[in-house]
Amino acid sequence: MIFDKLKKFYIVFDSPEVDTPPVFANGDVVSGKVVLELTGECKVDSLKFHAKGLAKVRWTESRTAGSSSAYTQTYSDEVEYLNVKEPLLQPDNGEMVVLQAGRHEFPFSFQLPEETLVTSFEGKHGSVRYWVKVKLHRPWATVRKIKKEFTVIQPIDINTPALLAPQAGTKDKMARVWYRNFGQVSITAKIDRKGYTPGEMIPVFAEFDNSTSRPVVPRASINQIQTFIARGTMKQKRSVVAVLCGDAVAPRCRDSWQGRAIKIPPVGPSILQCRILKVEYILRVCVDVPGTSKLSLELPLVMGTIPLHPFGSRTSSVSSQYSVNLEWLRLAVPDRPEAPPDYNTIVSDDEAEQNTAPPQGVEEFSGMLERPLQAFVQEFRYRPPPVYSEVDPNPQPFYMRPRCMTC
């Protein structure tokens, strides 16, 4: 039977690391291969390849009147980011291709668009997905299809002026009188910057002023907001991803947080460039006020993929290059010059005595001037050098050139 001849049919992406799924960004080249393992001879009409990227949203809203639904409205929309088609195996003359038993590999390769893509995402009312689909057409057989998704992450560098700017705000609220809790509660909060990456700690600086007659409890949380847009209608889903609880603030008292840290859990990056789908984050600082609704202050956050550099992206690269240059200089020029070797370690005692001994037959100083020049050279050749010292034994007087006043 035909079905028995097709043993395996799957897709493999090229990955630099074994057992690690590849992750791509805009402009990257996606490559891999389609593998067919046959147990016998098989005729193939064509093998077609299709790569696609799609952002899609969909939800349903119902309006009820009593026990029955008055109407049901469905909202949906989609945006295409990738669409690549090519035949991996298709004869030009219209005849079928006969594949023998064994393993057959068909490589594929395509480049992602250079323009901004949207990060892969799975939400309650929408998703952003990228996949590769292959169809195998054979005579008198059902079309076999295989599909494999791959991940795309649009880089977000938080080392930009907009994301490095501090975020701050102030908010106050009056408590209700009928609950015997008259007074005002105010919040002032600040964070160092707007952009962070998962795993970082956010130091929260806040001040809570409780002028009511009841204690209040401050809290901080990181919230994710998923926004889905279709046909002029918006649907949102909010979820809390991290919480920080503080101590109660007594009545007529004030308390402050001097950098209380809240850790960012592993969450997906922000999605801000899609027309129908957005993923945003906020830091919410709130106070539970008895007898009234919560007083909350929201500061915007952006979850990036490129972490913070010590001095920003551009200055960091310059500083790293400068440090490399300093290291090269440090290796090339020693901190302190080495002292010259000892004379005794180079010339033996016998050789020194032999070369420094005066020539035979010369006893008086008056006859030294009559000797040939070579004798003086031999006499001073193996004499030890002066004692090494870092202090100049003959310092030159310091002279400063007078400055011309007319220049």
Side-chain angles (χ1 to χ4, degrees):
M1 296 178 62
I2 296 178
F3 294 100
D4 297 334
K5 296 180 181 179
L6 184 59
K7 183 180 179 181
K8 291 184 179 181
F9 183 32
Y10 57 94
I11 301 171
V12 179
F13 289 108
D14 294 335
S15 178
E17 299 181 5
V18 182
D19 299 333
T20 301
V23 178
F24 305 97
N26 56 307
D28 289 349
V29 175
V30 182
S31 60
K33 57 189 174 183
V34 179
V35 181
L36 277 78
E37 293 186 11
L38 306 174
T39 58
E41 184 180 281
C42 180
K43 296 181 180 180
V44 177
D45 288 332
S46 64
L47 186 66
K48 297 181 179 180
F49 170 86
H50 187 196
K52 195 168 185 179
L54 193 68
K56 190 174 182 180
V57 297
R58 181 183 176 87
W59 75 91
T60 301
E61 294 183 0
S62 300
R63 295 292 184 268
T64 60
S67 59
S68 60
S69 297
Y71 70 94
T72 301
Q73 185 68 46
T74 300
Y75 300 89
S76 64
D77 200 352
E78 62 182 35
V79 178
E80 184 180 274
Y81 291 99
L82 175 67
N83 194 349
V84 178
K85 294 182 179 180
E86 62 175 306
L88 298 181
L89 179 62
Q90 185 172 3
D92 297 333
N93 53 10
E95 297 181 359
M96 293 179 295
V97 178
V98 179
L99 299 179
Q100 302 299 324
R103 178 186 175 95
H104 301 270
E105 296 182 356
F106 302 91
F108 64 85
S109 178
F110 63 93
Q111 186 176 12
L112 296 176
E114 291 289 347
E115 58 266 16
T116 302
L117 295 177
V118 177
T119 300
S120 300
F121 172 76
E122 291 291 333
K124 183 177 181 180
H125 303 294
S127 62
V128 181
R129 298 172 182 171
Y130 300 86
W131 69 85
V132 168
K133 182 185 291 185
V134 180
K135 295 181 180 180
L136 176 62
H137 297 265
R138 296 169 296 169
W140 306 103
T142 306
V143 178
R144 292 291 299 271
K145 303 177 184 179
I146 54 174
K147 180 180 178 181
K148 190 169 185 178
E149 296 187 6
F150 60 93
T151 303
V152 172
I153 294 182
Q154 177 62 30
I156 300 178
D157 190 356
I158 67 173
N159 299 277
T160 59
L163 300 184
L164 293 178
Q167 304 296 310
T170 301
K171 208 166 186 181
D172 55 57
K173 189 173 187 178
M174 187 69 66
R176 296 178 181 176
V177 181
W178 61 267
Y179 200 73
R180 298 180 183 178
N181 188 26
F182 181 76
Q184 181 176 287
V185 180
S186 63
I187 300 175
T188 301
K190 177 185 176 181
I191 54 178
D192 294 336
R193 47 191 160 94
K194 184 178 181 180
Y196 289 88
T197 54
E200 282 191 279
M201 307 291 290
I202 302 179
V204 181
F205 299 87
E207 184 173 314
F208 308 95
D209 189 1
N210 181 19
S211 299
T212 67
S213 58
R214 301 284 298 275
V216 297
V217 179
R219 293 187 301 171
S221 63
I222 301 176
N223 294 18
Q224 183 192 70
I225 305 174
Q226 301 177 11
T227 305
F228 309 93
I229 305 170
R231 297 169 53 185
T233 305
M234 184 177 63
K235 186 81 169 180
Q236 279 193 345
K237 179 182 181 299
R238 292 175 174 248
S239 58
V240 179
V241 298
V243 178
L244 172 65
C245 295
D247 299 329
V249 182
R252 309 290 189 269
C253 291
R254 178 180 298 177
D255 194 9
S256 62
W257 289 354
Q258 300 298 327
R260 291 283 297 270
I262 179 171
K263 187 175 182 180
I264 305 174
V267 294
S270 300
I271 299 178
L272 307 173
Q273 305 297 329
C274 185
R275 177 175 59 85
I276 62 174
L277 188 150
K278 296 184 182 297
V279 178
E280 301 169 295
Y281 294 88
I282 60 170
L283 175 67
R284 186 184 183 193
V285 182
C286 63
V287 172
D288 295 330
V289 183
T292 185
S293 58
K294 296 180 181 178
L295 171 62
S296 62
L297 174 65
E298 296 182 354
L299 302 178
L301 296 174
V302 173
M303 294 298 166
T305 59
I306 301 177
L308 180 69
H309 298 307
F311 303 102
S313 57
R314 180 175 299 180
T315 49
S316 174
S317 60
V318 175
S319 62
S320 62
Q321 183 180 3
Y322 182 69
S323 63
V324 171
N325 295 337
L326 288 181
E327 189 66 22
W328 178 82
L329 291 174
R330 194 176 296 111
L331 294 175
V333 182
D335 294 336
R336 297 182 61 184
E338 297 181 358
D342 189 7
Y343 176 75
N344 295 329
T345 60
I346 301 176
V347 182
S348 62
D349 296 338
D350 297 338
E351 189 176 5
E353 183 179 356
Q354 179 181 357
N355 288 281
T356 56
Q360 295 181 359
V362 181
E363 299 262 342
E364 298 179 0
F365 180 78
S366 59
M368 291 180 62
L369 299 178
E370 300 177 359
R371 287 183 290 170
L373 182 62
Q374 184 69 20
F376 289 96
V377 174
Q378 290 294 114
E379 182 175 354
F380 288 93
R381 175 177 296 178
Y382 297 103
R383 287 194 175 186
V387 179
Y388 171 74
S389 175
E390 294 186 0
V391 181
D392 189 0
N394 300 310
Q396 298 294 329
F398 180 75
Y399 172 74
M400 178 179 292
R401 182 180 178 181
R403 184 177 179 181
C404 181
M405 301 301 295
T406 60
C407 297

